[in-house]
Amino acid sequence: NAARNPRRTATTAGALMIGLALITLVATVGLSVRQGLENQLRNDTTATWFVQPNQFVPPDPTALVEALSRPREVAAAVPTAFATLTVAGPDGESTGVAVAELAEVAEVYDLGITDGGTDTAGVWVSSDAAADLGVSVGDDVTLSAGVGADERAPVGAVYTRTAALSTILVNQPLADELGAQTFVQAVAIKGADG
């Protein structure tokens, strides 16, 4: 076939080489992105394992954490969820936040807290979100779930590491009080020493 029509053979070979080059490029970029995200996550967390729901209907986080906390090999099990809460400050607003028990977050995440961290009743924000909202530790933000009344809550901490969680982190009881619909994303589990 190459002797009868060398031009067609060369065109086909060229197309195959271009296709192979594109596949190699996509695979390389994909692997690099995956490894980069894994490294960021590894640096931002002290958790040993992550359990993620593999279903459309989210599990009951209380029952899940209770079951995962029973073994003595588990030191902490902290669920994180996503909620479509709107958080507003004097300079702007943001929708879509992570929700967790702020008192337990430090057990499994290293967020690089630069200011505050002792007030676990309200909201923690990344340094970028603090700048966008125009707030700092001690300032109040307004939270809205789109149903019922809005709530004001204090900013309890500012952090720098956002790979493992969102740029805004709301305390679970506050999200519950607002009637926010939450979807469990993961349960971070820290193994017991020894």
Side-chain angles (χ1 to χ4, degrees):
N1 196 21
R4 283 185 306 160
N5 197 341
R7 185 178 215 184
R8 183 174 64 187
T9 304
T11 303
T12 302
L16 288 172
M17 286 189 304
I18 290 171
L20 184 59
L22 286 173
I23 289 170
T24 303
L25 175 68
V26 168
T28 302
V29 169
L31 183 60
S32 295
V33 168
R34 178 180 169 205
Q35 287 177 337
L37 289 173
E38 285 177 359
N39 287 339
Q40 276 188 317
L41 186 60
R42 198 172 291 119
N43 291 335
D44 291 0
T45 183
T46 59
T48 311
W49 305 283
F50 283 91
V51 175
Q52 294 180 310
N54 192 17
Q55 57 191 19
F56 182 71
V57 179
D60 175 16
T62 306
L64 186 59
V65 169
E66 189 176 300
L68 292 171
S69 297
R70 282 190 194 129
R72 60 185 166 158
E73 295 85 10
V74 173
V78 180
T80 56
F82 173 79
T84 54
L85 287 171
T86 299
V87 179
D91 295 346
E93 67 180 41
S94 180
T95 301
V97 301
V99 176
E101 290 279 351
L102 295 182
E104 299 173 356
V105 166
E107 293 182 47
V108 291
Y109 293 104
D110 178 9
L111 298 177
I113 293 176
T114 58
D115 192 14
T118 56
D119 183 1
T120 60
V123 178
W124 290 1
V125 295
S126 71
S127 53
D128 290 340
D132 292 345
L133 297 174
V135 296
S136 60
V137 171
D139 294 341
D140 281 348
V141 292
T142 303
L143 292 98
S144 173
V147 293
D150 295 349
E151 285 278 335
R152 293 189 59 75
V155 173
V158 175
Y159 56 92
T160 57
R161 296 185 179 156
T162 59
L165 295 171
S166 174
T167 57
I168 299 175
L169 187 55
V170 175
N171 197 25
Q172 181 71 53
L174 180 58
D176 293 343
E177 186 178 315
L178 282 163
Q181 187 174 11
T182 59
F183 302 95
V184 175
Q185 291 179 313
V187 178
I189 302 168
K190 184 174 185 176
D193 293 335

